[in-house]
């Protein structure tokens, strides 16, 4: 037997391209187009040099308390990780431990099946309907757990809380994870359902609406028992996951609520303006409640538009996957960046008319 026969082999997640250059428009990874709160950098600058020689608080107590206060829960109900991907990976390891398949949508965040394969978790993809919505009745079957984003990625479609409630009500014996990476841009958070359902875990991130993708901060909120189990898994392989600078930046970010709401409002206004402009150019898309638009053109293929944009140093996201291979996911940038994209699309789509 060769050593390679003992290697765990998986097909890895492929993140959005990270191009390097000064004169490019980066609309492919759903980052916030605005900088984080000025308090964030002030928090880092105020740190002493000696602080970096010490391990950070393994329980991330200060950040967990600030988040608990902000969302009106107990500190014991908050789990913090290195980005929501870290939180979700821990959640897969902790809660999806059954011979029954976990359930998630067929069009969704493409890391879910990667983690399932990595951790040897059986899974089943549940088809979204023709309008890219969840069908709650399809989740009323035996399972080892359920996970879905709301609003969804890459479609941007948001579900009403009544749909989430129906899924929770039908699956009392399974942990249901609602991935709310984009909820601040127009979705309705499932946090209001926590007191009713002890099997609900809500996951959010600082990477989108809080403009801190580079700091890698994510968190989960659930009942104390769920969070306790998550911590048991975390402390079984890495106690010091969050750095001191990241903790300080995270606390400062949450404390500046006015700035947070200001930049979210900017993104939403730009998104709504961009929707109108895209429609006038022959694009159609589901109603996005996120910081991106999932669009297709009436005449020109998504792949052609993707390649044409890329040649002009305008980066959007294209997925060569069943059901969505004629859509582009366009992150919302600044007004100036979106104008450059729209002007290019206006000229390109006129060709051949």
């Amino acid at each position: 037997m060769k050593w390679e026969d003992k290697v765990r082999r998986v097909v890895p997640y492929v993140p959005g391209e990270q191009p390097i250059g000064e004169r490019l428009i980066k609309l492919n990874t759903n980052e916030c187009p605005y900088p984080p709160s000025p308090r964030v950098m002030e928090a880092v600058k105020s740190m002493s040099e000696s602080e970096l020689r010490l391990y950070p608080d393994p329980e991330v107590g200060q950040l967990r308390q600030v988040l608990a206060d902000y969302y009106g829960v107990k500190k014991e109900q908050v789990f913090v990780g290195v980005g929501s991907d870290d939180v979700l990976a821990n959640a897969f390891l902790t809660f999806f431990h059954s011979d029954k398949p976990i359930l998630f949508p067929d069009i969704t965040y493409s890391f879910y099946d990667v983690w399932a394969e990595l951790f040897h978790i059986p899974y089943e993809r549940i088809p979204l309907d023709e309008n890219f919505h969840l069908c709650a009745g399809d989740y009323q079957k035996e399972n080892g757990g359920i996970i879905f984003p709301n609003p969804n990625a890459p479609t941007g479609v948001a579900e009403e809380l009544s749909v989430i409630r129906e899924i929770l009500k039908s699956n009392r014996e399974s942990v249901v994870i609602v991935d709310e990476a984009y909820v601040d841009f127009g979705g309705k958070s499932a946090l209001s359902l926590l007191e009713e359902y002890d099997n609900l875990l809500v996951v959010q991130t600082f990477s989108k609406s809080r403009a801190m993708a580079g700091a890698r901060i994510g968190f989960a909120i659930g009942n104390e028992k769920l969070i306790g189990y998550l911590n048991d898994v975390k402390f079984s392989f890495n106690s010091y996951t969050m750095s001191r600078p990241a903790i300080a930046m995270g606390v400062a970010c949450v404390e500046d609520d006015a700035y947070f709401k200001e930049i979210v409002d900017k993104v939403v206004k730009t998104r709504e303006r961009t929707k109108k402009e895209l429609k006038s150019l022959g694009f159609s898309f589901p109603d996005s409640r996120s910081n991106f638009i999932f669009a297709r053109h009436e005449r020109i293929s998504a792949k052609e538009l993707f390649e044409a944009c890329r040649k002009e140093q305008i980066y959007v996201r294209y997925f060569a996957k069943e059901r969505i291979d004629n859509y582009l996911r366009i992150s919302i940038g600044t007004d100036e960046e979106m104008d450059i994209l729209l002007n290019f699309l206006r000229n390109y789509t006129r060709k051949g008319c």
Side-chain angles (χ1 to χ4, degrees):
M1 178 181 290
K2 297 179 180 179
W3 63 265
E4 287 182 281
D5 296 330
K6 302 175 184 178
V7 171
R8 186 190 300 274
R9 301 186 186 187
V10 295
V11 178
Y13 170 75
V14 180
E17 186 176 1
Q18 293 289 350
I20 298 175
E22 295 181 2
R23 301 182 67 180
L24 57 85
I25 306 298
K26 190 171 183 297
L27 307 173
N28 66 330
T29 49
N30 299 342
E31 295 141 323
C32 182
Y34 303 105
S37 162
R39 296 189 194 180
V40 169
M41 297 311 300
E42 291 172 8
V44 176
K45 291 176 182 177
S46 67
M47 294 184 67
S48 66
E49 294 179 0
S50 62
E51 285 183 86
L52 290 179
R53 71 178 180 82
L54 302 173
Y55 282 114
D57 172 14
E59 296 186 356
V60 200
Q62 187 181 10
L63 180 54
R64 287 170 58 218
Q65 186 62 64
V66 168
L67 286 166
D69 293 342
Y70 187 86
Y71 290 102
V73 297
K74 299 176 183 177
K75 183 175 77 172
E76 292 75 20
Q77 291 181 262
V78 181
F79 176 90
V80 175
V82 185
S84 60
D85 286 341
D86 179 49
V87 175
L88 289 166
N90 275 282
F92 268 64
L93 266 177
T94 305
F95 303 119
F96 297 160
H97 187 59
S98 167
D99 57 357
K100 300 172 185 176
I102 64 170
L103 310 178
F104 51 80
D106 64 333
I107 302 170
T108 194
Y109 185 31
S110 52
F111 228 139
Y112 296 163
D113 57 348
V114 173
W115 286 316
E117 295 283 355
L118 178 63
F119 301 139
H120 296 285
I121 301 167
Y123 63 93
E124 180 181 348
R125 297 185 180 95
I126 306 297
L128 298 175
D129 70 15
E130 64 275 12
N131 297 313
F132 296 141
H133 277 281
L134 292 172
C135 300
D138 292 343
Y139 290 82
Q140 295 178 11
K141 58 169 68 178
E142 205 170 23
N143 64 77
I146 295 171
I147 182 168
F148 55 86
N150 192 43
N152 195 11
T155 66
V157 171
E159 304 293 345
E160 295 293 333
L161 286 183
S162 58
V163 175
I164 298 174
R165 186 190 299 276
E166 187 176 346
I167 292 173
L168 285 162
K169 188 177 180 180
S170 304
N171 292 279
R172 292 279 191 173
E173 296 181 359
S174 298
V175 172
V176 176
I177 302 175
V178 183
D179 182 355
E180 296 187 343
Y182 304 99
V183 74
D184 295 319
F185 299 104
K188 294 181 180 178
S189 177
L191 287 171
S192 61
L193 303 177
L194 283 175
E195 291 188 10
E196 293 180 65
Y197 299 97
D198 63 359
N199 59 326
L200 169 63
L201 188 74
V202 177
V203 178
Q204 294 191 15
T205 179
F206 281 52
S207 296
K208 316 299 182 185
S209 57
R210 294 189 180 275
M212 291 182 63
R216 311 307 300 129
I217 303 174
F219 61 97
I221 299 178
N223 76 67
E224 294 178 41
K225 185 176 286 188
L226 282 178
I227 299 304
Y229 286 134
L230 264 177
N231 278 317
D232 289 344
V233 168
K234 170 189 173 181
F235 291 131
S236 294
F237 66 89
N238 190 351
S239 298
Y240 302 107
T241 57
M242 184 70 62
S243 72
R244 281 177 173 265
I247 293 172
M249 288 189 289
V251 169
C253 179
V254 177
E255 289 179 339
D256 195 352
D257 192 46
Y259 183 85
F260 160 66
K261 291 175 178 174
E262 177 187 341
I263 62 172
V264 168
D265 185 59
K266 282 184 180 180
V267 171
V268 169
K269 286 179 177 176
T270 303
R271 179 192 71 199
E272 295 306 301
R273 180 178 72 87
T274 303
K275 285 180 183 178
K276 294 177 182 177
E277 295 286 348
L278 286 175
K279 283 182 180 178
S280 72
L281 297 177
F283 286 88
S284 60
F285 39 83
D287 186 28
S288 174
R289 297 289 111 192
S290 59
N291 67 337
F292 57 85
I293 298 170
F294 196 56
R296 64 178 178 180
H297 194 264
E298 59 189 12
R299 292 183 296 101
I300 307 171
S301 74
K303 186 176 182 181
E304 178 183 337
L305 286 170
F306 167 74
E307 292 172 349
C309 286
R310 198 172 187 278
K311 288 179 181 177
E312 296 298 316
Q313 294 288 288
I314 301 171
Y315 291 82
V316 295
R317 193 81 191 268
Y318 171 68
F319 300 90
K321 295 183 177 182
E322 188 177 356
R323 293 188 68 187
I324 60 172
D325 62 351
N326 201 29
Y327 285 84
L328 294 176
R329 194 193 68 188
I330 304 168
S331 302
I332 301 301
T334 63
D335 282 319
E336 292 77 13
E337 288 173 327
M338 300 314 290
D339 284 340
I340 292 172
L341 169 69
L342 290 167
N343 286 333
F344 170 75
L345 292 175
R346 190 173 293 113
N347 290 328
Y348 193 86
T349 55
R350 282 175 180 167
K351 293 179 181 179
C353 291

